[in-house]
Amino acid sequence: MSNAILVAGSANLDFVVRAAHVPAPGETVLGREFATFPGGKGANQAVACARAGGATTRMLLALGEDPYAAPLEASLRGAGVELHVVRTRETATGTAFICLADDAENAITVAPGANALLRAEHLPPLAGVSHLLLQLETPIDTVTAYAVAARAAGVTVVLNAAPARELPTALLDALDVLIVNEGELATITTGLRGRIAEALTHLAVPCVIVTLGARGACARARGEFHLRAAYRVRPVDTTGAGDTFCGAFTAASCQGSDLPDALAFASAAGALATTRLGAQTGVPARDEVEKFRRAQTAIADDDALRQLAAYCGLENRSV
Ligand code: ADP
């Protein structure tokens, strides 16, 4: 079968404390309950791909030899992800410290640990892989090397450029799809003034998608724009929304969905993820996403679409 997705990236154990608000610099906030959740953008996105079904999902990741690694492996395997683990004694498994506020905002500090040790030579053979999904929680040279190797092997390369940083040209040139949120788009296109649509046009990647939280998402593929207003939900934890969107989008594309349909599927998965706690535990399965989409079709929200178009600077264009 040649439609496997390979996710290469980070896995972190998330230490989550709920609090009334996210602390300002220098402030101490007394939080409430504490819990650990499997996380890391790479692992979250691998779980989202696997739960979306339809293709084999594999993940390349680096873990320490410590108790933090076990829950990460268990969560990935539990979702059906096949693992290529680089095991190290040099440093701890990646961890993330998350303050989750009552208004669903969050503040996150990541200690990359083993994730920082992923190297170009760790990339497994790409036979049977149709899509490679990357993020930026592993070293940028490694990410670039993986993208270049995959591009040369005819694999579709999808990058979620998070956390935000400027991208080397060699990486941008190797991408088929770039997915960013608004802050990440601003970082990648620094110096460029103008609306979202102009920023998307400025990037030379064949397909660029910007996710806009509760507003929805906007994509530019070649010269054409596609808008997707967000589904209406009551969010409790937005931590995994972007990762769920990226994994669900890649899985849908891998199964042959066209861009509008993959955007709709990913938006529904992202919206559902915000209604549940935890980055991986919150990822919905394909049948839940389909059921949710069917229930939503009655609410054709023209106003939301118009507002999204205006926000992106597309009010006068046909989309
Ligand atoms: P990130 O977490 O990377 O900042 P976003 O917040 O843009 O990503 O969320 C990714 C996608 O998830 C959005 O494009 C949207 O489809 C969905 N989503 C996120 N937040 C909400 C929300 N509050 N209501 C509905 N959908 C949401």
Side-chain angles (χ1 to χ4, degrees):
M1 186 167 76
S2 117
N3 74 337
I5 299 167
L6 176 65
V7 182
S10 60
N12 297 321
L13 192 60
D14 292 348
F15 291 74
V16 181
V17 186
R18 292 190 73 96
H21 64 271
V22 170
E27 186 188 10
T28 299
V29 169
L30 271 190
R32 296 193 306 277
E33 66 273 24
F34 161 78
T36 59
F37 293 97
K41 289 181 189 299
N44 297 345
Q45 293 181 19
V47 167
C49 284
R51 293 241 179 97
T56 303
T57 303
R58 293 157 49 188
M59 181 173 180
L60 168 65
L61 72 168
L63 296 170
E65 292 200 15
D66 51 42
Y68 302 147
L72 302 183
E73 287 183 75
S75 178
L76 286 160
R77 290 212 165 93
V81 181
E82 292 174 13
L83 302 185
H84 304 266
V85 181
V86 176
R87 190 85 53 181
T88 177
R89 279 169 193 271
E90 265 176 60
T91 178
T93 296
T95 46
F97 300 87
I98 301 176
C99 177
L100 181 58
D102 291 337
D103 61 1
E105 269 313 313
N106 58 47
I108 306 177
T109 310
V110 175
N115 295 307
L117 300 184
L118 268 189
R119 297 277 173 265
E121 62 269 23
H122 295 135
L123 187 69
L126 294 172
V129 174
S130 70
H131 287 65
L132 175 67
L133 176 56
L134 301 163
Q135 318 73 30
L136 300 177
E137 282 187 338
T138 46
I140 192 79
D141 292 347
T142 304
V143 174
T144 304
Y146 292 170
V148 169
R151 166 54 74 93
V155 171
T156 300
V157 182
V158 184
L159 173 71
N160 173 221
R165 56 158 292 159
E166 283 181 44
L167 300 180
T169 311
L171 177 55
L172 276 168
D173 287 349
L175 301 181
D176 295 284
V177 182
L178 173 64
I179 306 176
V180 285
N181 67 15
E182 206 171 353
E184 291 145 11
L185 180 67
T187 302
I188 291 171
T189 55
T190 17
L192 187 78
R193 284 170 195 278
R195 314 280 286 280
I196 284 172
E198 286 163 64
L200 294 182
T201 307
H202 174 78
L203 290 159
V205 178
C207 176
V208 186
I209 301 168
V210 58
T211 64
L212 299 163
R215 292 177 193 277
C218 175
R220 196 266 308 138
R222 284 158 226 98
E224 251 181 74
F225 287 95
H226 301 264
L227 291 171
R228 178 76 235 178
Y231 290 91
R232 289 198 187 163
V233 288
R234 207 168 283 191
V236 294
D237 178 8
T238 59
T239 314
D243 290 336
T244 300
F245 183 99
C246 294
F249 179 86
T250 305
S253 306
C254 182
Q255 286 158 54
S257 295
D258 61 14
L259 180 58
D261 203 44
L263 280 178
F265 182 79
S267 301
L272 273 178
T274 69
T275 65
R276 298 158 190 189
L277 264 191
Q280 288 172 31
T281 42
V283 175
R286 165 167 291 274
D287 52 350
E288 295 173 271
V289 180
E290 299 295 9
K291 200 169 144 207
F292 175 73
R293 280 180 73 186
R294 280 197 298 275
Q296 299 284 320
T297 43
I299 316 164
D301 204 332
D302 288 344
D303 266 356
L305 204 56
R306 263 194 298 276
Q307 280 167 23
L308 177 63
Y311 189 75
C312 294
L314 289 167
E315 52 276 80
N316 298 321
R317 299 167 84 142
S318 61
V319 290

